[in-house]
Amino acid sequence: DGFAAGAVIDGRLVAVAYTSARGEFYAEVGVATHEPWRGRGFAHAAAALVCADIQAAGLVPVWSTAEDNVASQRVAARLGFVEV
């Protein structure tokens, strides 16, 4: 009952975004990118698609990350998430 989108390069999934948890009103977005492919915008592109699907389903997308995960925080900020 969730959403997912990924980036495929030469037949290999290099990045994925997905709903890691889903409730009545919210859906949390998770992302993962293989290290050699980081910093190329794949997580952002996949997460943008997943967030659009979450919103189309009438839910609010949420993003959480460890305090020291600056890369994840940058992706979230690019997508318009605000730290609370």
Side-chain angles (χ1 to χ4, degrees), residues 3 5-6 9 18 24 34 39 43 47 63 69 72:
F3 306 102
I9 305 293
Y18 54 93
E24 186 177 353
H34 287 286
W63 191 287
N69 192 342
S72 179

Side-chain angles (χ1 to χ4, degrees), residues 23-68:
E24 186 177 353
F25 303 107
Y26 303 94
E28 184 166 0
V29 180
V31 296
T33 304
H34 287 286
E35 192 165 343
W37 298 97
R38 292 180 183 164
R40 301 178 189 208
F42 296 126
H44 173 264
L49 293 171
V50 170
C51 287
D53 285 343
I54 290 169
Q55 291 174 318
L59 302 172
V60 176
V62 294
W63 191 287
S64 62
T65 184
E67 191 173 328
D68 63 345

